[in-house]
Amino acid sequence: MNNKTIIRFEQVTKKYDDDLPVLDNVSFEIERGKFYTLLGPSGCGKTTILRLIAGFTEPTSGTIYFNGKNINHVTPNKRQVNTVFQDYALFPHLNVFENVAFGLRIKKMKKDIIEQKVKDALRFVNLSGYEQRNIQEMSGGQRQRVAIARAIVNEPEVLLLDEPLSALDLKLRTEMQYELRELQRRLGITFIFVTHDQEEALAMSDEIFVLNKGKIQQSGTPKDIYDEPVNRFVADFIGESNIVAGKMIQDYLVEFVGKQFECVDKGFAPNEDVEVVIRPEDLEITTPEKGKLKVYVDSQLFRGVHYEICCYDKDGNEWLVHSTKKAEVGDEIGLYFEPEAIHVMRLEENSRIGVADEK
């Protein structure tokens, strides 16, 4: 473990009664001062990781380290961690000041110290002047910032955020993404953010852990995860993908839909069966003669910034295209793509547990 690491999970499993593990032999490291996102569908284990870090539950097996020390049995109030819950868990009968000051009063700090710390925390979240405002009079975005102020006023080393944007409307949610990211940079502490929203994770994170069925499928930067998914689940879950069966003829040459194409992938066995991923935005509409693929347009939807066009080739493979060009339903068109647009995955790519440890 290097000196940048603040949290480390070592072969951690969490089970309830005799059910299947909610978290299954997971290992990873979290570094100081970064914005991490735990991303995955409902029931994948991401909130369980948050609860284990916070101390709200203990692992069935394995060890959790904080600053190099085993914290498996350390109570929540003894950890340098604070949590912002999905419903914010604010006290409706207290004003903004008293909500933020609550934890400090529990610690029996002096009045003047409490006042200064609350003032500083509210300034950090752009709520100076709202000290006497009733919580019921605050908007959703303002309540979220009060919850964050209440968390950071205790000066945690790690801030845990359990889907805090899910109850907001789309416009406010987008605004709060920017605010949260900027707040993390200003504070310089580690944020661990839970969401099932792929676009949210890609926009906000330094690193993403993609989870499914209690295992970490892949971890890395948003660009790495989007451009180089390790398996079908990640490719399909992060953004939209065209995935077809193929064969790796040799390094830099792959075959799919009955044709051979140059690519940038290597390290596969000759003639190894693979899966090929091409993102919809990497497909360019052209004439049938100029296209690397010939397809027929089945449907088209206007999405504001692009058209979402669904096509089929002669073998029945579906191709999703995102383009600023309009197509006509029923037309035959060509699809052109660069070698860099092709991403080749092994059929039996195993879930990569603890990818962060490999760095």
Side-chain angles (χ1 to χ4, degrees):
M1 184 174 71
N2 63 52
N3 57 9
K4 291 183 179 180
T5 301
I6 188 168
I7 295 170
R8 178 160 62 96
F9 273 44
E10 192 173 276
Q11 297 180 319
V12 172
T13 293
K14 179 62 183 178
K15 293 180 68 175
Y16 294 98
D17 300 324
D18 295 325
D19 293 338
L20 292 172
V22 180
L23 213 59
D24 190 4
N25 196 34
V26 168
S27 300
F28 62 84
E29 292 185 0
I30 298 287
E31 293 186 357
R32 301 176 192 281
K34 288 187 175 182
F35 195 119
Y36 288 86
T37 295
L38 307 178
L39 174 67
S42 297
C44 69
K46 54 188 186 293
T47 296
T48 299
I49 290 177
L50 226 61
R51 291 176 58 80
L52 286 165
I53 294 172
F56 299 142
T57 188
E58 294 184 5
T60 305
S61 62
T63 310
I64 302 171
Y65 296 92
F66 193 98
N67 283 331
K69 296 180 181 178
N70 183 331
I71 59 166
N72 279 21
H73 306 298
V74 175
T75 57
N77 64 310
K78 297 292 178 66
R79 303 189 183 199
Q80 285 296 304
V81 170
N82 272 87
T83 305
V84 177
F85 298 97
Q86 186 173 355
D87 61 0
Y88 310 146
L90 298 172
F91 301 111
H93 62 289
L94 300 179
N95 62 21
V96 169
F97 182 95
E98 292 301 330
N99 263 280
V100 177
F102 183 81
L104 303 179
R105 295 200 189 284
I106 293 293
K107 295 177 181 179
K108 298 183 179 179
M109 288 188 174
K110 292 182 179 179
K111 182 178 179 181
D112 58 336
I113 295 176
I114 290 175
E115 287 183 358
Q116 187 59 51
K117 283 182 173 291
V118 172
K119 182 180 179 181
D120 290 343
L122 290 174
R123 187 179 70 253
F124 260 119
V125 297
N126 296 320
L127 284 178
S128 295
Y130 285 80
E131 288 84 351
Q132 303 307 314
R133 184 72 64 88
N134 190 298
I135 288 296
Q136 304 293 346
E137 298 171 353
M138 308 288 281
S139 69
Q142 289 171 330
R143 290 184 191 186
Q144 187 209 49
R145 281 183 276 165
V146 173
I148 292 170
R150 186 177 63 180
I152 66 174
V153 78
N154 293 297
E155 300 178 2
E157 292 191 56
V158 176
L159 186 62
L160 309 175
L161 301 107
D162 189 6
E163 299 199 52
L165 307 184
S166 60
L168 306 179
D169 63 66
L170 180 60
K171 187 174 186 298
L172 183 55
R173 187 171 185 152
T174 302
E175 290 174 0
M176 290 307 300
Q177 288 173 13
Y178 285 105
E179 288 198 25
L180 269 181
R181 192 66 178 99
E182 181 58 29
L183 178 64
Q184 187 271 331
R185 290 193 178 109
R186 292 207 312 269
L187 289 171
I189 64 175
T190 304
F191 276 32
I192 304 177
F193 183 88
V194 164
T195 186
H196 58 266
D197 187 309
Q198 303 94 322
E199 291 184 5
E200 196 165 83
L202 292 170
M204 299 174 68
S205 314
D206 290 316
E207 293 199 33
I208 299 172
F209 290 177
V210 183
L211 289 99
N212 188 38
K213 297 180 179 177
K215 293 180 180 290
I216 296 176
Q217 301 293 311
Q218 185 174 359
S219 72
T221 67
K223 190 175 189 308
D224 289 342
I225 293 216
Y226 188 82
D227 290 343
E228 300 290 334
V230 298
N231 58 32
R232 174 179 278 266
F233 173 81
V234 176
D236 216 26
F237 191 77
I238 305 294
E240 295 181 282
S241 300
N242 296 293
I243 305 177
V244 295
K247 188 183 295 290
M248 199 68 185
I249 304 302
Q250 61 188 40
D251 285 354
Y252 312 117
L253 187 65
V254 65
E255 180 180 288
F256 57 95
V257 296
K259 297 181 180 181
Q260 294 184 1
F261 302 94
E262 292 182 6
C263 64
V264 296
D265 293 278
K266 63 178 182 177
F268 295 82
N271 297 312
E272 180 178 344
D273 289 332
V274 295
E275 289 185 306
V276 175
V277 179
I278 303 179
R279 296 289 187 181
E281 63 271 19
D282 291 330
L283 293 171
E284 180 184 337
I285 294 176
T286 185
T287 62
E289 295 74 29
K290 293 182 180 179
K292 291 185 176 181
L293 298 174
K294 292 181 181 180
V295 296
Y296 294 91
V297 179
D298 182 66
S299 63
Q300 179 174 258
L301 294 174
F302 181 58
R303 295 293 190 185
V305 294
H306 63 255
Y307 290 96
E308 185 174 279
I309 304 165
C310 186
C311 311
Y312 290 89
D313 61 28
K314 61 181 178 60
D315 296 319
N317 297 302
E318 182 179 349
W319 294 92
L320 184 65
V321 182
H322 291 169
S323 175
T324 55
K325 293 181 180 179
K326 188 176 182 181
E328 296 296 331
V329 173
D331 279 0
E332 183 183 29
I333 60 173
L335 298 179
Y336 180 83
F337 47 89
E338 298 288 347
E340 292 79 8
I342 299 172
H343 175 63
V344 180
M345 303 185 301
R346 285 189 168 87
L347 282 178
E348 301 300 326
E349 183 75 61
N350 292 323
S351 299
R352 291 164 57 180
I353 306 302
V355 178
D357 289 342
E358 299 171 5
K359 296 181 180 178

